[in-house]
C-alpha cells in the first residue's frame, strides 16, 4: 500500500505534464530509516534491561551473554559480581528501576539510559551498544544532590 501511495504523486505529475517531481521517495526512505532505528532501540532497551536485571539478581553468566567479544574477554563473571556488590554497598539496595530510554546515538555507539533509585542516591546507568547490538561498556553516574544554604545572620552584604 505504501508503494502505491508513493507512486501516486509521480503518476499525477506525469499525467499533468509537470516538470517538477515531488520528493516522495525520500520521505518513504526517511520513514524506513526511522522505523529501523526505532526497532533497533527497542531491542537495545530490552537487552539493557535484561543485563541490569541479571546483574542485580546475581546472574552474571546470563548478563555476559549480551557482551561484545572484546568485553567478554575482559570482564569475568566474578568481576561483574564484585562490581555490583561494591556499587550496592556504596549506594544501597535498589529501590526502583525507572523506564529505559535511548540516549546519545553516534557512529560508534547507541546508548540506553536507565534511571535507578538506590537507598542512598539516584543514578543513571548508561549501557553502550556497538553497531551489532552488543554491550561494549557501561557507566553509572549518581545524580548530583542540590543543597541549599541559608545566609547566616551576621552576613551583611553592604558592609
Amino acid at each position: 500500500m505504501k508503494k502505491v501511495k508513493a507512486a501516486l504523486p509521480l503518476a499525477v505529475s506525469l499525467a499533468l505534464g509537470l516538470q517538477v517531481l515531488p520528493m516522495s521517495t525520500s520521505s518513504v526512505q526517511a520513514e524506513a530509516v526511522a522505523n529501523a532505528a526505532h526497532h533497533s532501540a527497542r531491542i537495545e532497551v530490552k537487552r539493557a534491561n535484561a543485563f541490569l536485571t541479571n546483574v542485580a539478581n546475581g546472574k552474571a553468566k546470563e548478563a555476559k551473554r549480551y557482551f561484545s567479544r572484546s568485553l567478554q574477554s575482559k570482564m569475568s563473571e566474578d568481576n561483574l559480581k564484585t562490581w555490583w556488590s561494591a556499587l550496592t554497598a556504596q549506594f544501597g539496595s535498589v529501590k526502583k528501576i525507572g523506564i529505559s530510554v535511548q540516549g546519545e546515538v553516534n557512529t560508534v555507539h547507541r546508548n540506553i539510559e536507565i534511571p535507578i533509585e538506590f537507598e542512598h542516591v539516584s543514578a543513571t546507568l548508561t549501557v553502550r551498544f556497538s553497531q551489532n547490538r552488543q554491550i561494549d561498556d557501561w557507566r553509572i553516574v549518581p545524580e548530583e544532590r542540590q543543597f541549599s544554604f541559608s545566609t547566616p545572620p551576621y552576613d551583611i552584604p553592604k558592609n
Side-chain angles (χ1 to χ4, degrees):
M1 187 68 179
K2 287 185 180 185
K3 289 181 182 180
V4 172
K5 285 182 181 179
L8 187 58
L10 177 62
V12 170
S13 296
L14 291 174
L16 295 174
L18 299 175
Q19 297 293 322
V20 179
L21 299 176
M23 298 301 290
S24 60
T25 56
S26 64
S27 64
V28 171
Q29 289 171 343
E31 184 179 330
V33 168
N35 286 340
H38 180 69
H39 176 70
S40 178
R42 281 196 329 232
I43 290 171
E44 290 154 356
V45 163
K46 285 181 183 179
R47 289 181 180 190
N49 287 332
F51 163 71
L52 176 58
T53 301
N54 285 321
V55 170
N57 290 326
K59 298 178 181 178
K61 184 176 183 177
E62 288 83 359
K64 279 188 67 171
R65 71 181 204 180
Y66 300 105
F67 288 4
S68 65
R69 286 185 189 190
S70 173
L71 185 57
Q72 283 185 3
S73 67
K74 294 174 186 167
M75 178 65 76
S76 71
E77 291 175 30
D78 288 337
N79 288 347
L80 193 56
K81 288 178 182 178
T82 300
W83 169 75
W84 186 256
S85 294
L87 183 72
T88 54
Q90 182 179 2
F91 292 170
S93 62
V94 174
K95 290 172 55 180
K96 180 182 176 184
I97 296 175
I99 297 172
S100 303
V101 295
Q102 183 173 6
E104 179 186 0
V105 176
N106 58 43
T107 57
V108 179
H109 290 108
R110 288 185 294 266
N111 298 337
I112 301 299
E113 298 176 352
I114 307 172
I116 306 172
E117 186 180 327
F118 292 92
E119 263 182 298
H120 307 299
V121 70
S122 293
T124 299
L125 173 68
T126 301
V127 183
R128 295 169 24 125
F129 285 87
S130 64
Q131 295 299 322
N132 60 356
R133 299 181 180 143
Q134 293 179 321
I135 297 174
D136 267 348
D137 62 17
W138 66 89
R139 67 181 175 158
I140 190 155
V141 178
E143 289 182 8
E144 292 183 20
R145 293 185 180 177
Q146 299 295 323
F147 295 99
S148 61
F149 297 94
S150 57
T151 305
Y154 56 81
D155 181 25
I156 304 170
K158 61 184 172 185
N159 289 343

